[in-house]
């Protein structure tokens, strides 16, 4: 389906093999950027060990109407933003 909005937040798994994109910056700012509304979504890109990337066509999260995703936090600290918690 066509997606509205644009990738706003990017989260890379700690092993560097998965990259997640969500399309909400902040709800109040989204309303300014997209006055007709925005439908929340999240997609994943796989990074190949030998180089290159490819969309995971089996991974798509369509948020319920009225909710928008901001940042992904992967369970167990498996995210680049959690790196400061681990040596």
């Amino acid at each position: 389906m066509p997606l509205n909005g644009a990738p706003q937040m990017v989260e890379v798994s700690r092993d560097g093999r998965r990259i997640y994109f969500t399309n909400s910056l902040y709800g109040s700012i989204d309303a300014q950027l997209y006055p007709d509304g925005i439908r929340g979504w999240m997609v994943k890109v796989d990074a190949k060990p030998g180089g290159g990337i490819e969309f995971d066509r089996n991974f798509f999260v369509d948020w319920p109407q009225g909710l928008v995703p901001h940042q992904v936090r992967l369970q167990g600290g498996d995210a680049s933003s959690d790196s400061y918690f681990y040596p």
Side-chain angles (χ1 to χ4, degrees), residues 5-68:
Q8 294 294 335
M9 298 301 290
V10 178
E11 194 68 55
V12 179
S13 65
R14 289 176 62 88
D15 64 6
R17 293 197 167 183
R18 296 172 310 283
I19 306 146
Y20 298 88
F21 296 89
T22 55
N23 71 325
S24 174
L25 187 56
Y26 289 106
S28 58
I29 295 174
D30 291 342
Q32 294 175 29
L33 297 173
Y34 306 104
D36 294 332
I38 187 170
R39 179 94 186 177
W41 51 262
M42 179 169 68
V43 295
K44 179 174 74 106
V45 172
D46 295 315
K48 299 178 183 180
I53 59 173
E54 182 176 5
F55 274 102
D56 181 344
R57 295 184 184 279
N58 295 314
F59 186 96
F60 177 78
V61 180
D62 186 14
W63 252 251
Q65 187 66 33
L67 300 176
V68 289

Side-chain angles (χ1 to χ4, degrees), residues 11-14 72-83 86:
E11 194 68 55
V12 179
S13 65
R14 289 176 62 88
V72 176
R73 183 183 184 290
L74 304 174
Q75 187 175 1
D78 186 27
S80 55
S81 62
D82 294 330
S83 296
Y86 301 94

